[in-house]
Amino acid sequence: MNMQLDHFIPADFSNQSKVWVYQTNRLLSIQEALQLELLLQTFTAQWRSHGAPVKGYANLLFGRFIVLMADETETQVGGCSTDYSVHFIQQIEQLLNIQLFNRQMLAFIVKNRVELLPVTQLEYAIQNGFINQHTLYFNNLVANKKELLENWIIPAGKSWLGKRFFNLQPASE
């Protein structure tokens, strides 16, 4: 699985561009991904803040993550334009019958695939060796382009989950 993001993320956006990552509860089909691509292009073309166009970017990555980005070097993204983006994401949820606001599902790369794990099963997964501190984790809490490129896909032990690995040891140890 190629995890290099540089060729997906626009180089002409500031490193401080705001980022929102929405994780789907399932892998989207090719047909859904193509439909979503058109919706994302339309959204970014029409995204406004106080009437001014927002320099926006939106893409579906790994068939599971919608990444929205706003470069505020030209236009600040206010509350109304952020609300507009949230309503847009809610419309996508309804249209594709998916969940995009469920923060109780964690995404990891296991055996070269994106796998979801309910946070309630994290302890079990660690104790049984399904994941460890080196397992790549999607840190959807990134807030800007620089963090997206450097800290979105990281070893779980270097994320907010890190302390869990030191408190829980696999059953075989």
Side-chain angles (χ1 to χ4, degrees), residues 31 36 54 80 102 136 154 172:
Q31 181 180 358
L36 180 58
V54 171
C80 291
N102 183 353
L136 293 178
I154 57 175
S172 60

Side-chain angles (χ1 to χ4, degrees), residues 86-157:
V86 171
H87 292 301
F88 169 68
I89 295 297
Q90 290 169 332
Q91 290 172 350
I92 290 171
E93 279 188 314
Q94 291 177 351
L95 179 68
L96 299 178
N97 194 27
I98 57 176
Q99 295 175 4
L100 291 165
F101 292 95
N102 183 353
R103 300 295 185 207
Q104 298 300 305
M105 295 298 284
L106 308 175
F108 297 90
I109 297 177
V110 178
K111 296 183 180 177
N112 225 17
R113 291 180 42 171
V114 177
E115 298 289 346
L116 299 182
L117 177 70
V119 72
T120 57
Q121 301 209 356
L122 183 63
E123 182 176 334
Y124 178 85
I126 293 169
Q127 290 178 336
N128 289 283
F130 297 123
I131 61 169
N132 61 47
Q133 66 267 24
H134 304 292
T135 304
L136 293 178
Y137 167 68
F138 288 88
N139 176 24
N140 295 329
L141 301 175
V142 294
N144 61 47
K145 176 185 170 183
K146 182 174 175 39
E147 289 180 11
L148 179 72
L149 292 172
E150 296 176 1
N151 296 313
W152 183 40
I153 304 170
I154 57 175

Side-chain angles (χ1 to χ4, degrees), residues 13 17-20 22 39-59 67-72 75-89:
F13 276 56
S17 297
K18 283 188 179 179
V19 167
W20 298 268
Y22 298 94
L39 294 170
L40 294 174
Q41 288 174 0
T42 301
F43 170 78
T44 56
Q46 297 174 353
W47 201 3
R48 301 278 184 271
S49 181
H50 303 288
V54 171
K55 183 178 178 182
Y57 163 83
N59 202 350
V67 174
L68 289 182
M69 185 182 308
D71 186 339
E72 295 187 299
T75 304
Q76 293 289 313
V77 176
C80 291
S81 52
T82 301
D83 288 347
Y84 178 66
S85 71
V86 171
H87 292 301
F88 169 68
I89 295 297

Side-chain angles (χ1 to χ4, degrees), residues 153-168:
I153 304 170
I154 57 175
K158 294 187 184 236
S159 75
W160 65 274
L161 298 169
K163 64 182 178 230
R164 299 278 186 101
F165 293 101
F166 299 106
N167 294 335
L168 301 170

